[in-house]
Structure formats: structure tokens, C-alpha cells
Amino acid sequence: MIPMNHYLLLSAVMFIIGAAGVMTRRNAIIVFMSIELMLNSVNLTLVAYSAFLGDVTGQVLVFFVMAVAASEAAVGLAIIIALFRRKQTVNLDEINLLKW
Amino acid sequence: MTFEQIMFYVLAAAAVGSALMVVLQRNPIISALYLILNFFCLAGIYLTLHAQFIAIIQILVYAGAIMVLFVFVIMLLNLGDAQALKAKLTWQRMLAVVLVFGLLMEIVYLFTMPEATTAVLDVDRSIRIGEVEHIGTQLFTKFLFPFEITSVLLTAAIVGAIFLAKKKLD
Amino acid sequence: MIPYTPLLVLFPLVGFIFLGLFGSRLKNETLIGTIGSGMVGLSFLTAVAILVELLGMPAEGRKHIVEVFDWLSPFTDSAGSLAVPVSYQIDQLSVLMTLVVTGVGFLIHVYSIGYMHGDPGFWRFFTYMNLFIFAMLNLVLADNFLLMFLGWEGVGLCSYLLIGFWYEKKSTGDAAKKAFVVNRIGDFGFIIGMLLIFSTFGSLKFDTVFAGASVLSSGNTTILWITLLLFVGATGKSAQIPLYVWLPDAMAGPTPVSALIHAATMVTAGVYMVARCSLLYALAPTTLLVIAIVGAATALFAATIGLVQNDIKKVLAYSTVSQLGYMFLAMGVAAFGAGIFHLMTHAFFKALLFLGSGAVIHGMHDEQDIQKMGGLKKYMPATYRTFLIGAIAISGIPPLAGFFSKDEILWKAYSSEFGSPLLWGVAVLGAAMTAFYMFRLVILTFEGKERFDHHHLHPHEAPKSMTLPLMILAGLSIAGGWLGIPASLFGGNWLEHWLEPVFAPANRKLMLGGHEIHAIEYLLMFLSVAVAAAGIYGAWTVYRKRTEIAERLAVRFRTLYRVLFNKYYVDEVYDAAVVNPIVKVSNDYLWQGFDVTVIDGAVNGSASLVGRLAQVLRRLQTGVAQTYTIAFVTGILFVITWLLVQ
């Protein structure tokens, strides 16, 4: 049997990779994908706990996380499209109107 | 090593590998494809946990809908290799790597706690709770309110996405 | 009538407020002048009514206190706490002073209607004059030190306002500032004296203080300091050595101001104060000696300067300083009544002389240099005659007023236990010089050849509004002295008897004997008249008959002449020793060193520090979302670490 901390470690590694992607990449879409990666790692943790503790609440929560992630992806991509229309770029370094 | 264990480790390796590829690829399309692979691996891992419903939903929603959306947008914006940007090794990049490494260490420390290492998976129970009927029952009884609110949220998302992305008719 | 005492100060106060608010809108000069003079006149009539009422009372019962309202009241009822009401004391001395102030003041107000005619600040003049009368009356009528000090400061303020009346000229403003600042130095001494009084006696009311003092014995050190400090204030206000330097400069103001403030009233405030505190001074013989010496020295010193001045008003200014010296000499030899007597007569003839000089200046179209005058007596006969009467009075020729008052001072300077023949000698020498320089002034101005350009300058007599007060004052200069004819000349010396109850406590402390008649007194009287006559004769000779003597003396004693003409260079010495160092310290250390560097530096420095800090910190706002993400993650890292460590 697979001990629980294996699942948790896997989730941690995926989360870290996603965080690194968010902080490092300059392409906005790649950043979004990294965010999805992070969300998925959290999903994995929730499902693992749900299975090991025998409580279904974790899986229901995952269900909702997925729903929210879907809508968030939709809106986020719409924003990127609107931004692209404005500035013809998705390079995050150039989207800095809030600069001092 | 049972079949399950082998499957888990293979799928885990694939998941981590594809995640790395997602972050490191220059071309966004390739990144998207690797992400799809990652989702499939995750679905497999859910199955090892006997979470059937979630696994199917993962493929349907994430890999089937969200990634399709991503690919559509990438192709719509016509990014491709032409938009390849030179990656500078700025102090932010280095700091980010350091930070995530530190974060990893901490999380590893947390997740190697005794409670996590000695838990045992109750197979029958987890099969039972992972069934579609069971989750459906829970959704429509105990979690009805969030369920309905989620539909409102999705409506709002639809409206927002359309509004944001449409061409302004001047 | 006595309960109506507050009216005395209310009339001029109303005049001040009314003219201050509406004066600029009233175009009719006569109206403004009538209101201003009328208010003072009403005060005078009230004072006369009070006097009449007092005369009807027995000598011991002539002191009354009228309280108007509580000014400072203590929070607790403990003894020694500061309770200062606004209340006025009516007694023989204050009524006398009030009559002098309002009477002479009224005449000068009327005179000013003519003198200030055509001046654009006509209403402002009468406003300030009324305020002055108000403050002066507060000073003489107060029944406590603090209210007296209010009046003291108030007259200083009005002096500043009125000296600097024609403020467009810088030298006038400077003179006003000088007067105020020098006064202030004296006031500092006065304040310390008041503080000592309060800490010693626990109250500032005259009655309480004098009651407390009457049980003390002579030679008390605290009283010594109190009296000395109060006297410092008096030297400032009454222009004695060393704080007299402001009075000659104060002649930059209009002549009625010089007459009222710097001859008849404000400068006498110091003398009044010493008289009022006679009991305290009686307990400090050392201070009395100091006062006598300062008074005599000032009398002689100022007279020597007055000998060679060429500005008609400057001569009179130094004469005022000199005559004030006589009053203080009287105070210093414990002849308080004589000092007040001379104060009164001096008010009459000095005001007369100043107003007369004003008429001359007015008629000579603002010429003040007597070397450019001469022979004016045929153009201004009324002015000439009244001026001459004033000159004779101040020289001390009987039976005019100056003789009786000055002679009493000279006699007391010689005969009193606190006097000495030396003081008498100095005073007599001063008297000789007084006669000399006064008649030098008369001769050079009115007699002899005309030294002005006859074709361009047409001197004319002053209008009735100016000559009428001159004549009234001339009458007072003649008759005023008859109030104090001494017993040796078979007079009743009414003034001395009138004032006796006021100075009785002091006299008891001093254990002075009664006034016995000595043969020496007649001898001294004769000598003083002879000396005065000699002075007059000398002036006549030098300036009228054999004018070449003047030039020869000026050449032979060239250095002495220059020293006298330049007022012994006292102003220059003060400038170098006091004024310039203070200005330099203030400028370099206090202003540049402290205010600019430290305070401004701190304020501006903190602002620029914040600015520079902001410059550095704003680099955090890159505008790129990923930077913020990195910040998040850093924070999360720290929080988790901290939680793990706990």
C-alpha cells in the first residue's frame, strides 16, 4: 500500500513547480497554466485526505474547486484576450501601468 | 510491489515530469500539451485512491474543457515561436528559485510527520465514498447550497468572459 | 461723587473706542477734536467734583477705594494667592495727579485741534491721545501694583504709537522703537520688583503691602531690592540716568505729544510711583541715597547737554530730563511732597514751553533749528509772551511757580537728614544752567536779528485754538506755585498739608522732624534766586549784547563743546556696548545658528528625509504582478517558518 505522505509529497512537488512557474515565466498564458497546476496539486491533497480519512467532504470540495477553477480560467483568458487587443503582447513585464 | 504501487510511481513520475515541462517550455502550445498529459496522470492517481467520480470529472472538465479553452486562446492570439522571449536571468528569477526551494523544504518537513506516514487506506470505505451515487447524494443534500451558488458563479463567469473578450463596437 | 470714580477712566476709554472705530470715517476735524478733547474735559470735571467732595471731608478720612470688577481671582481662598481686582483708590495724591493729567491733557487736546490741522492721521492722533489718558489715569488711580503696571505699560505703548505717529519716515519709527525698548528694560526691573513684592507680602494691593511693610524695620534687605528694582523701572519711564536716552529722540513725534507725554504726564509716572510707595522707600535708606544721587547727577548732566543744543525741542527735552532729576532728588531726600509739588508746577510750565515751541515751529513752517530763527517776537507776540513766562517760571524766579517748588527741593536737599550740602551744590549749579539755557533759547528764538530768509518764510502767529491754551498755562505757571508757599514766607503751604496724610506712614518711619524755620533757609533762598538771575544775565550777555563771546567760547573749548553737543556720546557707547552685541548674537547665533540651522533644519530635514525614503521605497512598485507574487511567497515562507519554530 502506498503511504499517505507519498501522495502529499507528490502534491507538494507539483505545487512548488507551479509556484516557480508563476513567479518566473513572463508569458501570461504559461503563468495561467502554472496556476492550474497549483490548483491541481491542491486537489490531489484533498482527494488523498478524503480517501485516507474516509470522509467524502474532501471530494465534494474538489468538485467545487474544479468548478471555480473552470470559471476562473475562462475569465482570466478573456482578460488576456482583452489585454492582447490593447497592447499586442502577453509579456507580463510590459504590463506595468501600476509602476511608480 | 503490487500493480497499484507500480502504477502510482509511474504516474507520479510522469506527473512531475510533465509539470516540469509545462514550466520550462518556451512554446506555449507545447506547454499546453504537457499540461494535458499532467492532467491525465493525475486522473490515474485519483483512481488509485478509488475516487472514481473525481477522476472522470478531472478528464472531462480540466483536460476536456479548460485545456481546450487554453489551446483555443493560444491559437487565437497566434503566439507561437515568434513570441518566444529571451529568458533573462534576473535577480527575480533567482530569488524565485530560492524561495520555492525553501518552500519545498518546509512542506516536506510538514508532510513527513508521523500522522501522515502511518495512515492506512481503508479500501472498502474509500471505494464506497468515491462512487458517483454517493457524491451525488452528498451534493444534493448536505452540500446543496454551495452547489446552487456554484451555478450562479458559473453564470457570472460566462457573462464576465463574454463581456471582457468581445470586441468593443465603437 | 466718589462712587462715580470709574467715569474718570471711562470717558477717555469711550473716546478711544469711538474714535478708533469711526474716526476714519468722520471727515470733520472739529468734530473729532471736540470728541477727543471733550472726553478728557469731562474727566477733568469729574475729578474736580471729586476734589470738592474730598475737601469737605476731614483730613484722615480722605481715602476711598472704589472697586469696579474682579480681574484676577484665585481659585483657592488661601492667603498669598493672587487676587487682583480692577479698583481705584481716591486719595489726596491720586486726585492731585488726576487733576494734573486731565487738566493739562485737556488743554493740550484743544491745542492739538489747531496744531494737527490738515494732517491725514488727525483722527488717529486723537484716538491714541485718548487711549493715553485712559492708561495714565489707570496708572495714577490704581489701588494695586498690577493695575498700575497695566497703566505703566499702556502709556509706554501710547508713547510708541504717538512718537512714531508720522511713521512714513524711518527715523521716526526708529525713535519710537528706541523709546519702547528702553522703557521695556526699565519695566523688566519693575516686574521683578512686583514679583518680589508678591512673594514677600502675599498680595499686590497697596493697602495690604503697606500694612505689611509698616511692621518691618528699616534696613530690610528684601525691601532694599524691591525699591531698587522699582526704581529701575522709574529710570526707564522717567528718563533718568542710565535709561534717559529715549527722550531726546522722542522729539520726533508731534509737539503736543512731547508736551503731554514727555513733559507733563508719562515721564512723571516714575515720580508718582516712588511717592505712592513712599513707605517702602522710607524703609530703605540706601535706595533713597541712590535715588538722590541719580536724580542730582541727571539734573546736572542733562543741563550741560541742553546748553549747546540747537533744536528747540531738544533743548526742552534735556530740560525735562534735568527737571525730572530734581523731582527724584526730592524723593531721594525724603521730601516726597516737594517732589510732587515740583511735578505739578513742572507740568504747567513745561507743557507751556513745549506748546509754545510748537507754535513757533508751526509759524516757521516746520523749522526747528534755533540758529535759523531770531527776532520772532514781533511776529508772534502772544507766543513770545507766554513762552517768556514759562522760561521765567522754570528758572525759579519768584513769585512764579517754579520758584516755590524748586526752592523747596533745594532747601530739603540741604537740610534733610538724607540730604547734604554737596547735593544742594549740584542742584544749584543745575539751576543756574537751567536759567542760562532757557534764556539762551528765548533770546535766540525771539530776540535779536532775524536769521531766516525773510522773503521766503513768513512767520505768523498761531490760531486761537493754540494760543488760548498757552495763555491758560501761562496763568497756571504764575499762580500754580502759590499752593505751596512755605511757612518761612508766611504761607500756609496748603499743598504740603493736603498731601501730608499720604506720606505720614513714611514720615513716621523716617522719624523726620517738623519744618522749623532757620535763617539758613532764607540765605539759600536768596542764593538760588541770585544764581538764577545770574544765569539769565549771562545768557543775555552772551547771546544778545556781546554775541562774539559765544563764538570765542566755542572755539576755545572746542573739544568740550563737541562732547556736549554730541550728548557725551552716550548713544554711541550704548550702541557699541549693548545694542550691537545683542544684535550680533541674535543674528548670528540665535537666528542663523539656532532657528535656521536647527529648527528649520529639523523641519525641512524630516521632510526631505521622508522624500528620500520614499524615493527608495517606491522601487517596490514595479507594476509587474510577478514581483508581488514573489513578495507573497516570501511572506508565506516566513510565516510557515515561524509557525514551525514555535
Side-chain angles (χ1 to χ4, degrees), chain C residues 571-589:
Chain C
D571 277 322
E572 287 77 5
V573 168
Y574 279 173
D575 261 349
V578 179
V579 176
N580 284 342
I582 288 181
V583 169
K584 189 160 165 35
V585 166
S586 302
N587 209 28
D588 292 342
Y589 298 116

Side-chain angles (χ1 to χ4, degrees), chain C residues 245-293:
Chain C
V245 289
W246 62 273
L247 205 144
D249 282 43
M251 296 299 115
T255 311
V257 171
S258 307
L260 181 62
I261 297 185
H262 307 127
T265 43
M266 181 179 105
V267 293
T268 58
V271 182
Y272 166 76
M273 188 269 298
V274 175
R276 179 55 81 196
C277 301
S278 55
L279 178 59
L280 295 177
Y281 283 94
L283 290 168
T286 319
T287 314
L288 283 179
L289 185 64
V290 169
I291 296 179
I293 293 176

Side-chain angles (χ1 to χ4, degrees), chain B residues 33-89:
Chain B
L33 292 174
Y34 271 113
L35 194 58
I36 295 175
L37 176 61
N38 189 50
F39 289 158
F40 273 104
C41 297
L42 273 179
I45 296 175
Y46 289 148
L47 281 175
T48 67
L49 285 168
H50 311 290
Q52 311 152 13
F53 181 64
I54 298 300
I56 297 300
I57 290 295
Q58 168 89 354
I59 294 176
L60 274 179
V61 172
Y62 261 114
I66 293 176
M67 288 322 295
V68 169
L69 187 59
F70 264 100
V71 169
F72 259 118
V73 170
I74 292 171
M75 290 187 172
L76 189 66
L77 298 184
N78 204 7
L79 293 172
D81 266 331
Q83 291 276 321
L85 311 153
K86 268 178 56 105
K88 283 185 295 198
L89 194 66

